């Protein structure tokens, strides 16, 4: 009951009027923006009750499917899906908010549309399966937090019929049953032999990351300098530590009058942004 928003339901149909892409979900956006007085404010953008899905595409073996919605005063959101031999998955999410919408951004310094592109965290889903995730998911990038919940989606629908087979997100998967503590009613003494506890192995500590020197230029002048060693701690099924390697990491970003952004990239992926 914390999040209040309108549910979105999109049924994309092909030339024969058969369903080819179906989605129903809820989402909202938390946005930090610069005001005319050069300070920052946080605002919330909710979906209106009137949502269109112009530009949505069914997709095929050679073309990505596209789920696109438009709402409010010039805001839009889309995600594209690609299909492999036996699975489909979301690739990129594109969100555009319009700071000309004075009801949401009454004193925005920057006027007009702002576009954010992030990689979709959706895992591959078997074809002819519906992806379902009731739990709340968050995507954060460039002063925008996208919040999703109660998601149901199927791309590349076969024979125009939504499948009854579900692929659940990890957050929806029930945890294993809790261990029952021993009581006098369920303990059986099988032996009086004393066993030594198995030796435990201490994991090898992660080495400290190498220090990198990163800089940005505005014209011929250096506008940002950073000398830093970075280590990422990723919380997945098991904690994963990643040292950022300065030899393969490049700096990108922008310098403005009141703000500066530093992005460290490894190949085509943004590792971290400041």
């Amino acid at each position: 009951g914390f999040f209040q928003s309108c549910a979105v339901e999109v049924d994309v149909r092909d030339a024969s009027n058969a369903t080819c892409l179906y989605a129903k979900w809820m989402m909202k956006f938390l946005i930090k923006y610069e005001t005319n007085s050069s300070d920052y404010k946080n605002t919330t953008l909710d979906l209106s009750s009137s949502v269109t899905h112009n530009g949505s595409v069914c997709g095929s073996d050679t073309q990505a499917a596209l789920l696109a919605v438009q709402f409010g005063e010039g805001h839009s959101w889309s995600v594209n899906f690609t299909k492999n031999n036996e699975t489909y998955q979301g690739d990129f999410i594109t969100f555009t908010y319009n700071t000309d919408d004075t009801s949401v951004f009454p004193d925005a310094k920057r006027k007009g549309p702002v576009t954010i592109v992030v990689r979709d965290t959706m895992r591959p889903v078997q074809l002819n399966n519906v992806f379902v995730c009731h739990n709340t998911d968050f995507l954060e990038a460039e002063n925008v937090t996208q919040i999703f919940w109660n998601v149901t989606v199927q791309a590349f629908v076969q024979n125009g019929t939504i499948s009854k087979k579900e692929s659940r997100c990890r957050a929806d998967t029930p945890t294993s049953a809790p261990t029952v503590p021993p009581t006098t009613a369920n303990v059986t003494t099988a032996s009086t032999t004393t066993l030594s506890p198995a030796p435990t192995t201490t994991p090898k500590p992660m080495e400290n990351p190498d220090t990198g020197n990163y800089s940005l230029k505005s014209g011929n002048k250096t506008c940002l300098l950073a000398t830093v060693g970075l280590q990422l701690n990723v919380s997945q099924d098991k904690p994963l530590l990643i040292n950022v390697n300065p030899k393969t990491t490049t700096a990108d970003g922008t310098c403005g009058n009141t703000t500066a952004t530093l992005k460290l990239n490894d190949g085509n992926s943004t590792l971290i942004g400041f």
Side-chain angles (χ1 to χ4, degrees):
F2 177 77
F3 297 122
Q4 300 295 325
S5 186
C6 296
V8 187
E9 185 172 17
V10 176
D11 186 347
V12 183
R13 296 174 177 264
D14 59 19
S16 64
N17 201 34
T19 297
C20 60
L21 175 59
Y22 175 83
K24 184 177 182 180
W25 75 103
M26 301 187 77
M27 66 180 176
K28 70 183 306 179
F29 307 92
L30 306 180
I31 304 170
K32 182 178 180 180
Y33 70 98
E34 188 175 7
T35 68
N36 289 320
S37 56
S38 295
D39 60 353
Y40 284 84
K41 284 186 178 179
N42 294 311
T43 189
T44 301
L45 177 59
D46 295 296
L47 267 70
S48 62
S49 57
S50 177
V51 178
T52 60
H53 57 87
N54 299 325
S56 295
V57 177
C58 289
S60 63
D61 291 340
T62 57
Q63 181 184 17
L66 180 67
L67 176 65
V69 295
Q70 304 82 36
F71 58 97
E73 300 295 325
H75 314 296
S76 62
W77 181 92
S78 66
V79 57
N80 70 308
F81 300 91
T82 53
K83 178 170 66 170
N84 294 318
N85 293 332
E86 298 179 354
T87 63
Y88 67 90
Q89 67 182 92
D91 282 342
F92 291 98
I93 292 175
T94 303
F95 169 53
T96 298
Y97 61 94
N98 184 13
T99 56
D100 286 333
D101 185 351
T102 55
S103 63
V104 182
F105 309 96
D107 52 354
K109 184 176 182 178
R110 177 180 178 179
K111 298 297 184 180
V114 182
T115 299
I116 308 297
V117 180
V118 295
R119 184 176 292 277
D120 192 357
T121 57
M122 174 183 177
R123 292 186 298 168
V125 179
Q126 289 292 320
L127 288 174
N128 202 33
N129 277 27
V130 177
F131 175 76
V132 177
C133 192
H134 294 306
N135 275 269
T136 306
D137 191 19
F138 300 83
L139 286 179
E140 297 183 24
E142 301 183 38
N143 292 332
V144 174
T145 301
Q146 304 183 47
I147 307 172
F148 310 92
W149 69 103
N150 288 346
V151 175
T152 300
V153 61
Q154 184 179 356
F156 306 101
V157 177
Q158 300 177 7
N159 301 320
T161 303
I162 306 300
S163 176
K164 298 186 181 301
K165 300 178 182 178
E166 291 186 354
S167 292
R168 290 289 188 124
C169 62
R170 286 195 182 101
D172 280 5
T173 304
T175 57
S176 57
T179 302
V180 179
T183 65
T184 55
N186 64 18
V187 171
T188 302
T189 302
S191 173
T192 58
T193 303
T194 301
L195 298 177
S196 300
T200 58
T201 58
T202 303
K204 183 180 178 181
M206 186 77 171
E207 295 180 356
N208 290 332
D210 293 334
T211 301
N213 296 303
Y214 309 101
S215 64
L216 295 179
K217 287 185 177 293
S218 179
N220 294 326
K221 296 182 179 180
T222 299
C223 60
L224 190 151
L225 287 171
T227 301
V228 61
L230 291 171
Q231 184 180 89
L232 306 182
N233 188 333
V234 184
S235 298
Q236 295 179 322
D237 296 333
K238 295 181 180 180
L240 175 64
L241 296 179
I242 303 172
N243 282 343
V244 176
N245 184 358
K247 295 180 180 180
T248 60
T249 302
T250 59
D252 191 8
T254 56
C255 293
N257 293 328
T258 58
T259 61
T261 301
L262 173 67
K263 296 180 180 180
L264 300 182
N265 306 299
D266 185 6
N268 295 321
S269 300
T270 300
L271 290 174
I272 192 166
F274 298 94

